[in-house]
Amino acid sequence: MNRIRKIIKSKAFIGITLIIVLLFLNNTSYFAKPLGEEPTLLAHRGLAQTFSMAGIQNDTCTAERIYEPEHSYLENTIASMEAAFESGADIVEFDVHLTKDDQFAVFHDWTLDCRTNGKGVTRDYTMEQLKQLDIGYGYTADGGNSYPFRGKGVGLMPSLTEVLDYFPDHSLLIDVKSNDPEEGKLLASFLSQLPEERRNKLAVYGGDEPIAALKEALPDMRVMSKATMKKCLIPYIAAGWSGYMPAACKHTEIHIPEKIAPFLWGWPDKFMERMEQADNLVVLVGGDGSEFSSGFDSKEDLERLPKGYSGVIWTNRIDRIAPLYNRQNNSD
């Protein structure tokens, strides 16, 4: 009986060992090649003024807490996007809101009150009226003693049409700030008028409802929301050890906090290889997912990246990060 028990234990040990070895071999990055030589750089809101993230909430007026300006650009403007690309950005992210005349204004905040000399929301105004506002009105680095951009932002709020016309060949990430499904439908109608090759360089993310509505109306569009990420990552976490790729991961986008990424099967290179084969754009963001717009904004931040990482990284300071990769830097 003891001999039988020993044999059973021995076989169980061998079986468990084989499973562990197979898991390792199927998910190790040793046999996966990096997808490139350096990261793809995604510039959040173009080249923008940055601010302290301490204690930030959804309704925090970040324009009132900017650092001392190091450049003259304001977020979500054509000039800031152009400067980001000239600095070396591969992709530029920007935000859109619906207007009274069913256009899409490129602007971040839920209301106009923080950054501009206007009140209310973009839906209260036509695009022409929004262009009369000063989008630099509310910026201050010293608690309101001075406003370095006041009077300099009149006419600088662009429409989505203007951005796409100005950057006809660039990769862009569009953030839908509302959770209105009708906004998703309108955006789908707008994007459907673009050539397919242009849409292939665009991606859209935002609230679950507008993204679902957009995807239903425009199935070939690359999109992302919390719902789409869950549909992709939850099954992958459950069965990705086997190499299984959920259908929901195909031709989409996922944003992964750096502290969560190491727990994904095959991270980094094997995971990235699988996602590339699924035509999934993976964007690595800073922190654990609880911070707002946390990015890789300094040399010290980049040192936290996996060795040889060549996926997309999110940065709020393209002017600092791009030169570290010897990218062209022509911004002021």
mmCIF file with all atom_site columns, all heavy atoms in Angstrom, residues 96-98 104 110 123 175-184 205-211:
data_model
loop_
_atom_site.group_PDB
_atom_site.id
_atom_site.type_symbol
_atom_site.label_atom_id
_atom_site.label_alt_id
_atom_site.label_comp_id
_atom_site.label_asym_id
_atom_site.label_entity_id
_atom_site.label_seq_id
_atom_site.pdbx_PDB_ins_code
_atom_site.Cartn_x
_atom_site.Cartn_y
_atom_site.Cartn_z
_atom_site.occupancy
_atom_site.B_iso_or_equiv
_atom_site.pdbx_formal_charge
_atom_site.auth_seq_id
_atom_site.auth_comp_id
_atom_site.auth_asym_id
_atom_site.auth_atom_id
_atom_site.pdbx_PDB_model_num
ATOM 1   N N   . VAL A 1 96  ? -13.141 64.981 -27.334 1.00 0.00 ? 96  VAL A N   1
ATOM 2   C CA  . VAL A 1 96  ? -14.213 65.636 -28.094 1.00 0.00 ? 96  VAL A CA  1
ATOM 3   C C   . VAL A 1 96  ? -15.504 65.699 -27.283 1.00 0.00 ? 96  VAL A C   1
ATOM 4   O O   . VAL A 1 96  ? -15.801 64.812 -26.483 1.00 0.00 ? 96  VAL A O   1
ATOM 5   C CB  . VAL A 1 96  ? -14.485 64.926 -29.441 1.00 0.00 ? 96  VAL A CB  1
ATOM 6   C CG1 . VAL A 1 96  ? -13.275 65.013 -30.360 1.00 0.00 ? 96  VAL A CG1 1
ATOM 7   C CG2 . VAL A 1 96  ? -14.927 63.482 -29.244 1.00 0.00 ? 96  VAL A CG2 1
ATOM 8   N N   . HIS A 1 97  ? -16.239 66.777 -27.524 1.00 0.00 ? 97  HIS A N   1
ATOM 9   C CA  . HIS A 1 97  ? -17.580 66.978 -26.967 1.00 0.00 ? 97  HIS A CA  1
ATOM 10  C C   . HIS A 1 97  ? -18.505 67.437 -28.087 1.00 0.00 ? 97  HIS A C   1
ATOM 11  O O   . HIS A 1 97  ? -18.087 68.147 -29.006 1.00 0.00 ? 97  HIS A O   1
ATOM 12  C CB  . HIS A 1 97  ? -17.571 68.058 -25.884 1.00 0.00 ? 97  HIS A CB  1
ATOM 13  C CG  . HIS A 1 97  ? -16.959 67.636 -24.591 1.00 0.00 ? 97  HIS A CG  1
ATOM 14  N ND1 . HIS A 1 97  ? -17.653 66.926 -23.644 1.00 0.00 ? 97  HIS A ND1 1
ATOM 15  C CD2 . HIS A 1 97  ? -15.721 67.839 -24.082 1.00 0.00 ? 97  HIS A CD2 1
ATOM 16  C CE1 . HIS A 1 97  ? -16.866 66.718 -22.592 1.00 0.00 ? 97  HIS A CE1 1
ATOM 17  N NE2 . HIS A 1 97  ? -15.686 67.261 -22.845 1.00 0.00 ? 97  HIS A NE2 1
ATOM 18  N N   . LEU A 1 98  ? -19.772 67.090 -27.966 1.00 0.00 ? 98  LEU A N   1
ATOM 19  C CA  . LEU A 1 98  ? -20.762 67.484 -28.951 1.00 0.00 ? 98  LEU A CA  1
ATOM 20  C C   . LEU A 1 98  ? -21.140 68.958 -28.757 1.00 0.00 ? 98  LEU A C   1
ATOM 21  O O   . LEU A 1 98  ? -21.161 69.462 -27.634 1.00 0.00 ? 98  LEU A O   1
ATOM 22  C CB  . LEU A 1 98  ? -22.007 66.614 -28.806 1.00 0.00 ? 98  LEU A CB  1
ATOM 23  C CG  . LEU A 1 98  ? -22.996 66.599 -29.967 1.00 0.00 ? 98  LEU A CG  1
ATOM 24  C CD1 . LEU A 1 98  ? -22.346 66.067 -31.231 1.00 0.00 ? 98  LEU A CD1 1
ATOM 25  C CD2 . LEU A 1 98  ? -24.213 65.747 -29.600 1.00 0.00 ? 98  LEU A CD2 1
ATOM 26  N N   . PHE A 1 104 ? -18.331 68.282 -33.442 1.00 0.00 ? 104 PHE A N   1
ATOM 27  C CA  . PHE A 1 104 ? -17.543 67.803 -32.304 1.00 0.00 ? 104 PHE A CA  1
ATOM 28  C C   . PHE A 1 104 ? -16.437 68.801 -32.009 1.00 0.00 ? 104 PHE A C   1
ATOM 29  O O   . PHE A 1 104 ? -15.549 69.036 -32.841 1.00 0.00 ? 104 PHE A O   1
ATOM 30  C CB  . PHE A 1 104 ? -16.943 66.426 -32.597 1.00 0.00 ? 104 PHE A CB  1
ATOM 31  C CG  . PHE A 1 104 ? -17.957 65.324 -32.542 1.00 0.00 ? 104 PHE A CG  1
ATOM 32  C CD1 . PHE A 1 104 ? -18.600 64.901 -33.693 1.00 0.00 ? 104 PHE A CD1 1
ATOM 33  C CD2 . PHE A 1 104 ? -18.295 64.729 -31.330 1.00 0.00 ? 104 PHE A CD2 1
ATOM 34  C CE1 . PHE A 1 104 ? -19.553 63.888 -33.650 1.00 0.00 ? 104 PHE A CE1 1
ATOM 35  C CE2 . PHE A 1 104 ? -19.251 63.720 -31.271 1.00 0.00 ? 104 PHE A CE2 1
ATOM 36  C CZ  . PHE A 1 104 ? -19.884 63.308 -32.440 1.00 0.00 ? 104 PHE A CZ  1
ATOM 37  N N   . TRP A 1 110 ? -15.692 68.657 -18.752 1.00 0.00 ? 110 TRP A N   1
ATOM 38  C CA  . TRP A 1 110 ? -17.146 68.500 -18.840 1.00 0.00 ? 110 TRP A CA  1
ATOM 39  C C   . TRP A 1 110 ? -17.826 69.853 -19.007 1.00 0.00 ? 110 TRP A C   1
ATOM 40  O O   . TRP A 1 110 ? -18.851 69.968 -19.676 1.00 0.00 ? 110 TRP A O   1
ATOM 41  C CB  . TRP A 1 110 ? -17.676 67.816 -17.583 1.00 0.00 ? 110 TRP A CB  1
ATOM 42  C CG  . TRP A 1 110 ? -17.279 66.382 -17.478 1.00 0.00 ? 110 TRP A CG  1
ATOM 43  C CD1 . TRP A 1 110 ? -16.328 65.839 -16.655 1.00 0.00 ? 110 TRP A CD1 1
ATOM 44  C CD2 . TRP A 1 110 ? -17.818 65.290 -18.222 1.00 0.00 ? 110 TRP A CD2 1
ATOM 45  N NE1 . TRP A 1 110 ? -16.235 64.488 -16.851 1.00 0.00 ? 110 TRP A NE1 1
ATOM 46  C CE2 . TRP A 1 110 ? -17.143 64.114 -17.814 1.00 0.00 ? 110 TRP A CE2 1
ATOM 47  C CE3 . TRP A 1 110 ? -18.803 65.183 -19.197 1.00 0.00 ? 110 TRP A CE3 1
ATOM 48  C CZ2 . TRP A 1 110 ? -17.422 62.857 -18.330 1.00 0.00 ? 110 TRP A CZ2 1
ATOM 49  C CZ3 . TRP A 1 110 ? -19.082 63.924 -19.729 1.00 0.00 ? 110 TRP A CZ3 1
ATOM 50  C CH2 . TRP A 1 110 ? -18.390 62.786 -19.292 1.00 0.00 ? 110 TRP A CH2 1
ATOM 51  N N   . ARG A 1 123 ? -22.476 71.730 -25.449 1.00 0.00 ? 123 ARG A N   1
ATOM 52  C CA  . ARG A 1 123 ? -23.764 71.528 -26.119 1.00 0.00 ? 123 ARG A CA  1
ATOM 53  C C   . ARG A 1 123 ? -24.650 72.771 -26.059 1.00 0.00 ? 123 ARG A C   1
ATOM 54  O O   . ARG A 1 123 ? -25.666 72.846 -26.743 1.00 0.00 ? 123 ARG A O   1
ATOM 55  C CB  . ARG A 1 123 ? -24.504 70.344 -25.496 1.00 0.00 ? 123 ARG A CB  1
ATOM 56  C CG  . ARG A 1 123 ? -23.822 69.007 -25.740 1.00 0.00 ? 123 ARG A CG  1
ATOM 57  C CD  . ARG A 1 123 ? -24.687 67.862 -25.272 1.00 0.00 ? 123 ARG A CD  1
ATOM 58  N NE  . ARG A 1 123 ? -24.014 66.565 -25.410 1.00 0.00 ? 123 ARG A NE  1
ATOM 59  C CZ  . ARG A 1 123 ? -24.648 65.424 -25.591 1.00 0.00 ? 123 ARG A CZ  1
ATOM 60  N NH1 . ARG A 1 123 ? -25.960 65.402 -25.647 1.00 0.00 ? 123 ARG A NH1 1
ATOM 61  N NH2 . ARG A 1 123 ? -23.974 64.292 -25.701 1.00 0.00 ? 123 ARG A NH2 1
ATOM 62  N N   . ASP A 1 175 ? -10.954 60.633 -27.737 1.00 0.00 ? 175 ASP A N   1
ATOM 63  C CA  . ASP A 1 175 ? -11.611 60.328 -26.466 1.00 0.00 ? 175 ASP A CA  1
ATOM 64  C C   . ASP A 1 175 ? -12.993 60.979 -26.432 1.00 0.00 ? 175 ASP A C   1
ATOM 65  O O   . ASP A 1 175 ? -13.103 62.212 -26.436 1.00 0.00 ? 175 ASP A O   1
ATOM 66  C CB  . ASP A 1 175 ? -10.753 60.840 -25.307 1.00 0.00 ? 175 ASP A CB  1
ATOM 67  C CG  . ASP A 1 175 ? -11.338 60.502 -23.941 1.00 0.00 ? 175 ASP A CG  1
ATOM 68  O OD1 . ASP A 1 175 ? -12.361 59.799 -23.879 1.00 0.00 ? 175 ASP A OD1 1
ATOM 69  O OD2 . ASP A 1 175 ? -10.751 60.944 -22.937 1.00 0.00 ? 175 ASP A OD2 1
ATOM 70  N N   . VAL A 1 176 ? -14.035 60.153 -26.415 1.00 0.00 ? 176 VAL A N   1
ATOM 71  C CA  . VAL A 1 176 ? -15.413 60.652 -26.294 1.00 0.00 ? 176 VAL A CA  1
ATOM 72  C C   . VAL A 1 176 ? -15.702 60.850 -24.812 1.00 0.00 ? 176 VAL A C   1
ATOM 73  O O   . VAL A 1 176 ? -15.736 59.883 -24.044 1.00 0.00 ? 176 VAL A O   1
ATOM 74  C CB  . VAL A 1 176 ? -16.420 59.659 -26.908 1.00 0.00 ? 176 VAL A CB  1
ATOM 75  C CG1 . VAL A 1 176 ? -17.846 60.182 -26.757 1.00 0.00 ? 176 VAL A CG1 1
ATOM 76  C CG2 . VAL A 1 176 ? -16.096 59.415 -28.376 1.00 0.00 ? 176 VAL A CG2 1
ATOM 77  N N   . LYS A 1 177 ? -15.928 62.075 -24.400 1.00 0.00 ? 177 LYS A N   1
ATOM 78  C CA  . LYS A 1 177 ? -15.997 62.371 -22.973 1.00 0.00 ? 177 LYS A CA  1
ATOM 79  C C   . LYS A 1 177 ? -17.364 62.114 -22.343 1.00 0.00 ? 177 LYS A C   1
ATOM 80  O O   . LYS A 1 177 ? -17.471 62.061 -21.123 1.00 0.00 ? 177 LYS A O   1
ATOM 81  C CB  . LYS A 1 177 ? -15.615 63.842 -22.727 1.00 0.00 ? 177 LYS A CB  1
ATOM 82  C CG  . LYS A 1 177 ? -14.223 64.212 -23.202 1.00 0.00 ? 177 LYS A CG  1
ATOM 83  C CD  . LYS A 1 177 ? -13.144 63.336 -22.588 1.00 0.00 ? 177 LYS A CD  1
ATOM 84  C CE  . LYS A 1 177 ? -12.995 63.565 -21.101 1.00 0.00 ? 177 LYS A CE  1
ATOM 85  N NZ  . LYS A 1 177 ? -11.846 62.801 -20.541 1.00 0.00 ? 177 LYS A NZ  1
ATOM 86  N N   . SER A 1 178 ? -18.409 61.960 -23.143 1.00 0.00 ? 178 SER A N   1
ATOM 87  C CA  . SER A 1 178 ? -19.741 61.742 -22.568 1.00 0.00 ? 178 SER A CA  1
ATOM 88  C C   . SER A 1 178 ? -20.028 60.242 -22.487 1.00 0.00 ? 178 SER A C   1
ATOM 89  O O   . SER A 1 178 ? -19.239 59.414 -22.923 1.00 0.00 ? 178 SER A O   1
ATOM 90  C CB  . SER A 1 178 ? -20.813 62.414 -23.429 1.00 0.00 ? 178 SER A CB  1
ATOM 91  O OG  . SER A 1 178 ? -21.168 61.586 -24.518 1.00 0.00 ? 178 SER A OG  1
ATOM 92  N N   . ASN A 1 179 ? -21.203 59.902 -21.947 1.00 0.00 ? 179 ASN A N   1
ATOM 93  C CA  . ASN A 1 179 ? -21.670 58.516 -21.978 1.00 0.00 ? 179 ASN A CA  1
ATOM 94  C C   . ASN A 1 179 ? -23.017 58.447 -22.691 1.00 0.00 ? 179 ASN A C   1
ATOM 95  O O   . ASN A 1 179 ? -23.876 57.638 -22.354 1.00 0.00 ? 179 ASN A O   1
ATOM 96  C CB  . ASN A 1 179 ? -21.793 57.955 -20.557 1.00 0.00 ? 179 ASN A CB  1
ATOM 97  C CG  . ASN A 1 179 ? -21.824 56.427 -20.565 1.00 0.00 ? 179 ASN A CG  1
ATOM 98  O OD1 . ASN A 1 179 ? -21.217 55.788 -21.427 1.00 0.00 ? 179 ASN A OD1 1
ATOM 99  N ND2 . ASN A 1 179 ? -22.537 55.836 -19.623 1.00 0.00 ? 179 ASN A ND2 1
ATOM 100 N N   . ASP A 1 180 ? -23.171 59.299 -23.710 1.00 0.00 ? 180 ASP A N   1
ATOM 101 C CA  . ASP A 1 180 ? -24.416 59.399 -24.464 1.00 0.00 ? 180 ASP A CA  1
ATOM 102 C C   . ASP A 1 180 ? -24.310 58.537 -25.720 1.00 0.00 ? 180 ASP A C   1
ATOM 103 O O   . ASP A 1 180 ? -23.477 58.804 -26.592 1.00 0.00 ? 180 ASP A O   1
ATOM 104 C CB  . ASP A 1 180 ? -24.644 60.868 -24.842 1.00 0.00 ? 180 ASP A CB  1
ATOM 105 C CG  . ASP A 1 180 ? -25.945 61.086 -25.600 1.00 0.00 ? 180 ASP A CG  1
ATOM 106 O OD1 . ASP A 1 180 ? -26.632 60.093 -25.918 1.00 0.00 ? 180 ASP A OD1 1
ATOM 107 O OD2 . ASP A 1 180 ? -26.258 62.256 -25.897 1.00 0.00 ? 180 ASP A OD2 1
ATOM 108 N N   . PRO A 1 181 ? -25.148 57.512 -25.859 1.00 0.00 ? 181 PRO A N   1
ATOM 109 C CA  . PRO A 1 181 ? -25.073 56.659 -27.049 1.00 0.00 ? 181 PRO A CA  1
ATOM 110 C C   . PRO A 1 181 ? -25.331 57.416 -28.346 1.00 0.00 ? 181 PRO A C   1
ATOM 111 O O   . PRO A 1 181 ? -24.799 57.056 -29.398 1.00 0.00 ? 181 PRO A O   1
ATOM 112 C CB  . PRO A 1 181 ? -26.148 55.596 -26.789 1.00 0.00 ? 181 PRO A CB  1
ATOM 113 C CG  . PRO A 1 181 ? -27.064 56.187 -25.776 1.00 0.00 ? 181 PRO A CG  1
ATOM 114 C CD  . PRO A 1 181 ? -26.203 57.062 -24.930 1.00 0.00 ? 181 PRO A CD  1
ATOM 115 N N   . GLU A 1 182 ? -26.159 58.473 -28.277 1.00 0.00 ? 182 GLU A N   1
ATOM 116 C CA  . GLU A 1 182 ? -26.423 59.259 -29.485 1.00 0.00 ? 182 GLU A CA  1
ATOM 117 C C   . GLU A 1 182 ? -25.151 59.919 -29.993 1.00 0.00 ? 182 GLU A C   1
ATOM 118 O O   . GLU A 1 182 ? -24.971 60.100 -31.202 1.00 0.00 ? 182 GLU A O   1
ATOM 119 C CB  . GLU A 1 182 ? -27.491 60.322 -29.193 1.00 0.00 ? 182 GLU A CB  1
ATOM 120 C CG  . GLU A 1 182 ? -28.872 59.747 -28.949 1.00 0.00 ? 182 GLU A CG  1
ATOM 121 C CD  . GLU A 1 182 ? -29.358 58.897 -30.121 1.00 0.00 ? 182 GLU A CD  1
ATOM 122 O OE1 . GLU A 1 182 ? -29.213 59.340 -31.279 1.00 0.00 ? 182 GLU A OE1 1
ATOM 123 O OE2 . GLU A 1 182 ? -29.874 57.787 -29.870 1.00 0.00 ? 182 GLU A OE2 1
ATOM 124 N N   . GLU A 1 183 ? -24.275 60.274 -29.070 1.00 0.00 ? 183 GLU A N   1
ATOM 125 C CA  . GLU A 1 183 ? -22.998 60.861 -29.468 1.00 0.00 ? 183 GLU A CA  1
ATOM 126 C C   . GLU A 1 183 ? -22.145 59.845 -30.218 1.00 0.00 ? 183 GLU A C   1
ATOM 127 O O   . GLU A 1 183 ? -21.458 60.176 -31.183 1.00 0.00 ? 183 GLU A O   1
ATOM 128 C CB  . GLU A 1 183 ? -22.248 61.389 -28.244 1.00 0.00 ? 183 GLU A CB  1
ATOM 129 C CG  . GLU A 1 183 ? -21.065 62.271 -28.584 1.00 0.00 ? 183 GLU A CG  1
ATOM 130 C CD  . GLU A 1 183 ? -20.620 63.118 -27.411 1.00 0.00 ? 183 GLU A CD  1
ATOM 131 O OE1 . GLU A 1 183 ? -21.463 63.495 -26.574 1.00 0.00 ? 183 GLU A OE1 1
ATOM 132 O OE2 . GLU A 1 183 ? -19.412 63.416 -27.340 1.00 0.00 ? 183 GLU A OE2 1
ATOM 133 N N   . GLY A 1 184 ? -22.222 58.593 -29.785 1.00 0.00 ? 184 GLY A N   1
ATOM 134 C CA  . GLY A 1 184 ? -21.512 57.529 -30.486 1.00 0.00 ? 184 GLY A CA  1
ATOM 135 C C   . GLY A 1 184 ? -22.034 57.335 -31.900 1.00 0.00 ? 184 GLY A C   1
ATOM 136 O O   . GLY A 1 184 ? -21.269 57.127 -32.847 1.00 0.00 ? 184 GLY A O   1
ATOM 137 N N   . TYR A 1 205 ? -12.021 55.910 -27.990 1.00 0.00 ? 205 TYR A N   1
ATOM 138 C CA  . TYR A 1 205 ? -12.353 55.304 -26.700 1.00 0.00 ? 205 TYR A CA  1
ATOM 139 C C   . TYR A 1 205 ? -13.227 56.249 -25.894 1.00 0.00 ? 205 TYR A C   1
ATOM 140 O O   . TYR A 1 205 ? -13.389 57.414 -26.241 1.00 0.00 ? 205 TYR A O   1
ATOM 141 C CB  . TYR A 1 205 ? -11.086 54.914 -25.940 1.00 0.00 ? 205 TYR A CB  1
ATOM 142 C CG  . TYR A 1 205 ? -10.323 56.037 -25.270 1.00 0.00 ? 205 TYR A CG  1
ATOM 143 C CD1 . TYR A 1 205 ? -10.211 56.102 -23.877 1.00 0.00 ? 205 TYR A CD1 1
ATOM 144 C CD2 . TYR A 1 205 ? -9.663  57.015 -26.015 1.00 0.00 ? 205 TYR A CD2 1
ATOM 145 C CE1 . TYR A 1 205 ? -9.473  57.105 -23.257 1.00 0.00 ? 205 TYR A CE1 1
ATOM 146 C CE2 . TYR A 1 205 ? -8.925  58.011 -25.405 1.00 0.00 ? 205 TYR A CE2 1
ATOM 147 C CZ  . TYR A 1 205 ? -8.840  58.058 -24.024 1.00 0.00 ? 205 TYR A CZ  1
ATOM 148 O OH  . TYR A 1 205 ? -8.114  59.053 -23.415 1.00 0.00 ? 205 TYR A OH  1
ATOM 149 N N   . GLY A 1 206 ? -13.821 55.710 -24.827 1.00 0.00 ? 206 GLY A N   1
ATOM 150 C CA  . GLY A 1 206 ? -14.706 56.542 -24.016 1.00 0.00 ? 206 GLY A CA  1
ATOM 151 C C   . GLY A 1 206 ? -15.698 55.703 -23.246 1.00 0.00 ? 206 GLY A C   1
ATOM 152 O O   . GLY A 1 206 ? -15.447 54.540 -22.921 1.00 0.00 ? 206 GLY A O   1
ATOM 153 N N   . GLY A 1 207 ? -16.861 56.285 -22.958 1.00 0.00 ? 207 GLY A N   1
ATOM 154 C CA  . GLY A 1 207 ? -17.890 55.615 -22.166 1.00 0.00 ? 207 GLY A CA  1
ATOM 155 C C   . GLY A 1 207 ? -18.445 54.392 -22.861 1.00 0.00 ? 207 GLY A C   1
ATOM 156 O O   . GLY A 1 207 ? -18.450 54.284 -24.095 1.00 0.00 ? 207 GLY A O   1
ATOM 157 N N   . ASP A 1 208 ? -18.946 53.448 -22.070 1.00 0.00 ? 208 ASP A N   1
ATOM 158 C CA  . ASP A 1 208 ? -19.444 52.185 -22.620 1.00 0.00 ? 208 ASP A CA  1
ATOM 159 C C   . ASP A 1 208 ? -20.541 52.398 -23.662 1.00 0.00 ? 208 ASP A C   1
ATOM 160 O O   . ASP A 1 208 ? -20.540 51.751 -24.720 1.00 0.00 ? 208 ASP A O   1
ATOM 161 C CB  . ASP A 1 208 ? -19.995 51.304 -21.491 1.00 0.00 ? 208 ASP A CB  1
ATOM 162 C CG  . ASP A 1 208 ? -18.895 50.790 -20.566 1.00 0.00 ? 208 ASP A CG  1
ATOM 163 O OD1 . ASP A 1 208 ? -17.716 50.856 -20.949 1.00 0.00 ? 208 ASP A OD1 1
ATOM 164 O OD2 . ASP A 1 208 ? -19.238 50.317 -19.459 1.00 0.00 ? 208 ASP A OD2 1
ATOM 165 N N   . GLU A 1 209 ? -21.489 53.278 -23.375 1.00 0.00 ? 209 GLU A N   1
ATOM 166 C CA  . GLU A 1 209 ? -22.650 53.416 -24.255 1.00 0.00 ? 209 GLU A CA  1
ATOM 167 C C   . GLU A 1 209 ? -22.318 54.051 -25.605 1.00 0.00 ? 209 GLU A C   1
ATOM 168 O O   . GLU A 1 209 ? -22.712 53.524 -26.650 1.00 0.00 ? 209 GLU A O   1
ATOM 169 C CB  . GLU A 1 209 ? -23.762 54.176 -23.530 1.00 0.00 ? 209 GLU A CB  1
ATOM 170 C CG  . GLU A 1 209 ? -24.334 53.389 -22.351 1.00 0.00 ? 209 GLU A CG  1
ATOM 171 C CD  . GLU A 1 209 ? -25.593 54.021 -21.791 1.00 0.00 ? 209 GLU A CD  1
ATOM 172 O OE1 . GLU A 1 209 ? -26.300 54.717 -22.554 1.00 0.00 ? 209 GLU A OE1 1
ATOM 173 O OE2 . GLU A 1 209 ? -25.877 53.818 -20.599 1.00 0.00 ? 209 GLU A OE2 1
ATOM 174 N N   . PRO A 1 210 ? -21.611 55.182 -25.647 1.00 0.00 ? 210 PRO A N   1
ATOM 175 C CA  . PRO A 1 210 ? -21.297 55.735 -26.972 1.00 0.00 ? 210 PRO A CA  1
ATOM 176 C C   . PRO A 1 210 ? -20.363 54.843 -27.779 1.00 0.00 ? 210 PRO A C   1
ATOM 177 O O   . PRO A 1 210 ? -20.495 54.754 -29.004 1.00 0.00 ? 210 PRO A O   1
ATOM 178 C CB  . PRO A 1 210 ? -20.637 57.086 -26.658 1.00 0.00 ? 210 PRO A CB  1
ATOM 179 C CG  . PRO A 1 210 ? -20.194 56.993 -25.249 1.00 0.00 ? 210 PRO A CG  1
ATOM 180 C CD  . PRO A 1 210 ? -21.167 56.099 -24.576 1.00 0.00 ? 210 PRO A CD  1
ATOM 181 N N   . ILE A 1 211 ? -19.457 54.144 -27.107 1.00 0.00 ? 211 ILE A N   1
ATOM 182 C CA  . ILE A 1 211 ? -18.538 53.264 -27.824 1.00 0.00 ? 211 ILE A CA  1
ATOM 183 C C   . ILE A 1 211 ? -19.284 52.061 -28.392 1.00 0.00 ? 211 ILE A C   1
ATOM 184 O O   . ILE A 1 211 ? -19.049 51.637 -29.532 1.00 0.00 ? 211 ILE A O   1
ATOM 185 C CB  . ILE A 1 211 ? -17.384 52.822 -26.920 1.00 0.00 ? 211 ILE A CB  1
ATOM 186 C CG1 . ILE A 1 211 ? -16.502 54.025 -26.568 1.00 0.00 ? 211 ILE A CG1 1
ATOM 187 C CG2 . ILE A 1 211 ? -16.558 51.728 -27.579 1.00 0.00 ? 211 ILE A CG2 1
ATOM 188 C CD1 . ILE A 1 211 ? -15.933 54.752 -27.766 1.00 0.00 ? 211 ILE A CD1 1
#
